[in-house]
Amino acid sequence: MTAPQAHDSTARLLIVGPQGSGKGTQGVRIAESYGIPVVSTGDIFRANIKQGTPLGQQVTEILDRGDLVPDELTSEIVRDRLSQDDAVNGFLLDGYPRNTTQVAHLDAFLAEQGHALDAVILLDVPREESISRLTLRATEQGRTDDTPEAIAHRLDIYEQETAPIIDVYDERGIVDRVDGTGELDEITDRILAALAARGLRLAA
Ligand code: AMP
């Protein structure tokens, strides 16, 4: 048996944007196009809560308040997930890293393997539009952290803790700012065009 070879069509991506920017929806579309898994920390936490695992019990109240799960715990979960076979050749991160400490954790993990993020997609959506999309999702999906207070709190955390990570990645020249308003297909096309311009080729 030969060791798995690195693929030409790999992409190590991060999608960032305020809650309600549509990054979940777009993330799935982009990941499908590249043939890579989506790694969403929010989805991992919600699945654990639903299944009543010890991790789920540990984070339920934190999610309901709209606060962040401790960095060490979150980073350990991501490290485990990115070590699985399907993520070895690429992945799309959604919801992690969420502050500069988590950026450092991710950098350390990727550097151990001689890797780095290829691109950071920043979905630009005005705050008012995020709030109205989140309020709509609250009625459609019944998420317990989509109360008006939790929504406002999560957007504040985004502006204070998550937005600064953009500066870090900007300095590395890997941020693609994409207008997140308009039709879903249009937004997907904008993202794929930005990634193609970086030379990130789609899966064969
Ligand atoms: P999301 O689905 O990305 O909006 O995440 C839902 C909730 O999960 C957040 O409000 C946090 O409580 C928690 N969470 C998700 N990702 C992270 C992260 N990277 N660090 C800390 N907490 C997180």
Side-chain angles (χ1 to χ4, degrees):
M1 289 283 286
T2 50
Q5 298 295 306
H7 260 241
D8 279 342
S9 60
T10 64
R12 292 184 176 82
L13 307 174
L14 162 63
I15 190 160
V16 190
Q19 287 76 11
S21 61
K23 68 186 164 58
T25 306
Q26 293 298 334
V28 169
R29 290 172 163 226
I30 302 307
E32 258 171 29
S33 302
Y34 278 91
I36 53 178
V38 173
V39 174
S40 156
T41 39
D43 283 352
I44 294 173
F45 291 134
R46 279 185 291 276
N48 277 274
I49 290 172
K50 207 168 161 194
Q51 290 159 20
T53 67
L55 170 66
Q57 290 169 13
Q58 200 179 339
V59 303
T60 298
E61 287 180 13
I62 300 176
L63 263 80
D64 280 351
R65 284 198 305 268
D67 282 331
L68 293 188
V69 174
D71 294 330
E72 295 292 339
L73 176 60
T74 307
S75 292
E76 197 184 308
I77 289 163
V78 172
R79 190 176 260 270
D80 282 351
R81 179 63 189 90
L82 294 185
S83 302
Q84 288 170 21
D85 286 349
D86 65 332
V88 166
N89 283 324
F91 49 79
L92 180 139
L93 285 166
D94 169 7
Y96 177 96
R98 228 171 174 102
N99 57 30
T100 50
T101 305
Q102 295 182 8
V103 170
H105 290 165
L106 178 65
D107 281 346
F109 171 70
L110 292 177
E112 278 168 25
Q113 302 164 336
H115 295 144
L117 286 181
D118 295 307
V120 175
I121 304 148
L122 173 60
L123 267 190
D124 256 339
V125 174
R127 183 171 171 122
E128 311 76 61
E129 184 154 345
S130 291
I131 292 178
S132 63
R133 288 190 196 174
L134 284 173
T135 311
L136 182 69
R137 186 176 78 184
T139 34
E140 284 173 359
Q141 297 180 6
R143 266 177 60 163
T144 53
D145 59 351
D146 277 346
T147 61
E149 298 74 31
I151 287 173
H153 186 49
R154 276 152 58 221
L155 285 171
D156 287 342
I157 291 185
Y158 176 80
E159 281 158 19
Q160 287 156 20
E161 295 203 38
T162 309
I165 78 171
I166 301 302
D167 296 338
V168 176
Y169 289 126
D170 248 337
E171 279 172 23
R172 301 181 194 175
I174 58 170
V175 178
D176 287 316
R177 282 184 172 68
V178 175
D179 176 2
T181 62
E183 296 296 321
L184 280 185
D185 286 347
E186 269 172 24
I187 302 168
T188 307
D189 288 347
R190 283 177 207 143
I191 298 172
L192 289 175
L195 296 177
R198 285 189 181 275
L200 292 170
R201 287 185 285 131
L202 296 181

